[in-house]
């Protein structure tokens, strides 16, 4: 493990940038995987290749109360404003392929309640970078609110039950991100919540707490069996408009260990996932429902939801841009289309790409100027999410059944 200072924050990305050099160092789609195998991972090359390194070790020490939000990577170059998008033609990047999606499903709702220590007040500090991202100078409107309704633990129910806090260790310190289930035993999060970009360094001891609510774990806690990223992200060759921050493939998968033969998604349900612009229109625009646990909102104790129109920024590694109030701690939280329970129709019909609760990206970065109030995410494509799922489902088919 490198030092904590090397492991987190924007300085980490600047150092990685010196190693990588230009905006895009390469486009390989090999995969790096953390498992319970001891020793440092060996680098693999070629599409679909994997490497292994320690995952959840026996010395795991998760501090639920004192967990710090992993600093949200900060972009130095401002994203396009919504006014720019609406007043001129949206620049189009290269085609990524035919859009597609895989639906999720509700779980059986059986609880395994645990009481964890709620976050201490100090957890509201985001490494000095907890700047809100809301309607600001970019002119991009949104709404951010608690998921829970007044007097009701809404987050315990599907689809919100499939989203949770992700705790992990960097050295001996505990950090947190957000994550969501997209298969019975597979969690998706940001790659920067799993590995240090370009440093060939994984973090360790991930614990997923679905529907976390102010120190309560209604479905228990679930330990990582493996964690997987693309080798291009791991070795710093991923195409990035800003090295280590605005990247093409800031996506990771975590395979959870079952408990008594049962995976977390059996209880909580899991979200679907889409790729290559599922539910985006021809202008690269999309309506996003973002879910996460930002520490600057309710001290990171509650699940928060943001709804915003998003658009594709070809100049920013084809990332999707939304307006958002979320901050550090929201990293890795799902960006969904058609969020919520599907209605029963009479006298009308659904439009195109109508599957509900489909994850099309995860929270990746914000702009360093807090007045801009925008965040970005790597779009799910056949080059990242489907490659990663092919690897993890091939290794652990029961987690994907």
């Amino acid at each position: 493990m490198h030092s904590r200072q090397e492991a987190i924050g924007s300085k980490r990305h600047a150092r990685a940038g010196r190693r990588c050099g230009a905006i895009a160092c390469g486009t390989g789609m090999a995969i790096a995987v953390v498992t319970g195998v001891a020793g440092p991972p060996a680098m693999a090359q070629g599409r679909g290749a994997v490497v292994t390194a320690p995952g959840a070790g026996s010395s795991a020490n998760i501090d639920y109360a004192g967990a710090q939000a992993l600093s949200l990577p900060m972009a130095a170059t401002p994203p396009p404003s919504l006014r720019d998008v609406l007043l001129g033609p949206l620049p189009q990047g290269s085609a990524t392929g035919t859009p597609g999606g895989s639906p999720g499903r509700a779980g059986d709702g059986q609880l395994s309640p645990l009481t964890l220590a709620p976050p201490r007040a100090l957890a509201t500090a985001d490494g000095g970078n907890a700047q809100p991202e809301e309607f600001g100078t970019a002119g991009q409107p949104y709404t951010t609110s608690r998921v829970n309704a007044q007097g009701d633990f809404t987050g315990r129910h599907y689809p919100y039950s499939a989203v949770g806090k992700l705790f992990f260790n960097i050295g001996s310190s505990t950090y947190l991100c957000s994550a969501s289930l997209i298969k019975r035993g597979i969690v998706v999060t940001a790659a920067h919540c799993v590995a240090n970009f370009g440093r060939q360094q994984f973090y360790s001891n991930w614990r997923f707490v679905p529907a976390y609510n102010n120190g309560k774990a209604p479905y228990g806690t679930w330990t990582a069996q493996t964690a997987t990223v693309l080798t291009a992200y791991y070795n710093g060759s991923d195409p990035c408009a800003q090295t280590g921050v605005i990247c093409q493939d800031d996506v990771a998968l975590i395979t959870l260990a079952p408990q008594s033969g049962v995976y977390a998604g059996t209880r909580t349900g899991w979200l679907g996932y889409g790729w290559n612009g599922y539910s985006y229109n021809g202008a690269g625009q999309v309506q996003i429902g973002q879910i996460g646990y930002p520490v600057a909102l309710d001290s990171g104790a509650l699940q928060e939801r943001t709804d915003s129109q998003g658009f594709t920024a070809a100049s920013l590694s084809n990332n999707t841009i939304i307006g958002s109030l979320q901050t550090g701690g929201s990293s890795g939280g799902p960006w969904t289309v058609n969020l919520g329970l599907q209605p029963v129709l009479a006298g009308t019909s659904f439009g195109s790409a109508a599957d509900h609760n489909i994850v099309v990206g995860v929270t990746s970065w914000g702009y360093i100027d807090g007045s801009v109030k925008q965040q970005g995410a790597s779009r799910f494509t056949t080059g990242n999410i489907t490659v990663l799922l092919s690897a993890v489902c091939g290794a652990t088919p029961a987690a994907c059944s």
Side-chain angles (χ1 to χ4, degrees), residues 302-326:
L302 303 177
Q303 196 175 104
E304 313 285 351
R305 170 176 173 168
T306 294
D307 293 278
S308 175
Q309 181 185 4
F311 61 88
T312 304
S315 62
L316 299 178
S317 299
N318 278 325
N319 278 204
T320 302
I321 311 299
I322 65 170
S324 179
L325 183 63
Q326 301 200 28

Side-chain angles (χ1 to χ4, degrees), residues 69-342:
L70 191 71
S71 293
L72 186 69
M74 292 294 177
T77 301
S81 72
L82 188 60
R83 287 185 292 272
D84 294 336
V85 173
L86 295 177
L87 292 176
L90 185 72
Q92 296 295 311
S94 58
T96 54
T98 303
S102 174
R105 59 164 292 179
D108 61 21
Q110 181 175 321
L111 303 179
S112 301
L114 294 174
T115 298
L116 310 176
R120 294 194 291 265
L122 60 84
T124 58
D126 177 26
N129 292 319
Q131 297 298 321
E133 318 276 330
E134 70 170 322
F135 170 53
T137 58
Q140 189 160 1
Y142 71 89
T143 299
T144 295
S145 306
R146 294 176 179 173
V147 164
N148 289 342
Q150 182 68 36
D152 179 66
F153 185 0
T154 313
R156 195 183 74 187
H157 303 285
Y158 187 81
Y160 305 107
S161 56
V163 184
K165 266 192 178 182
L166 183 68
F167 295 88
F168 55 97
N169 289 144
I170 301 178
S172 61
S173 298
T174 300
Y175 289 84
L176 62 89
C177 282
S178 301
S180 60
L181 283 152
I182 56 170
K183 292 286 187 182
R184 193 182 303 273
I186 305 297
V187 166
V188 67
T189 189
H192 72 261
C193 298
V194 167
N196 194 349
F197 179 86
R199 308 287 285 187
Q200 300 184 24
Q201 172 203 358
F202 281 103
Y203 307 139
S204 64
N205 301 328
W206 297 271
R207 300 285 180 82
F208 179 61
V209 186
Y212 175 96
N213 189 77
N214 197 24
K216 303 293 184 181
Y219 294 97
T221 66
W222 299 79
T223 302
Q225 182 172 291
T226 66
T228 307
V229 297
L230 294 175
T231 297
Y233 188 92
Y234 184 72
N235 67 18
S237 64
D238 193 47
C240 300
Q242 181 180 331
T243 304
V245 179
I246 308 173
C247 296
Q248 179 178 281
D249 301 304
D250 187 12
V251 182
L253 297 181
I254 293 174
T255 302
L256 300 177
Q259 298 178 9
S260 302
V262 176
Y263 282 103
T266 302
R267 307 303 187 210
T268 65
W270 60 91
L271 307 178
Y273 62 95
W275 56 87
N276 295 344
Y278 181 86
S279 201
Y280 288 62
N281 65 19
Q285 298 169 332
V286 62
Q287 180 66 26
I288 292 292
Q290 175 196 28
I291 309 175
Y293 290 87
V295 296
L297 282 64
D298 294 313
S299 299
L302 303 177
Q303 196 175 104
E304 313 285 351
R305 170 176 173 168
T306 294
D307 293 278
S308 175
Q309 181 185 4
F311 61 88
T312 304
S315 62
L316 299 178
S317 299
N318 278 325
N319 278 204
T320 302
I321 311 299
I322 65 170
S324 179
L325 183 63
Q326 301 200 28
T327 65
S330 67
S331 287
W335 287 26
T336 65
V337 295
N338 309 324
L339 179 58
L341 296 184
Q342 184 168 299

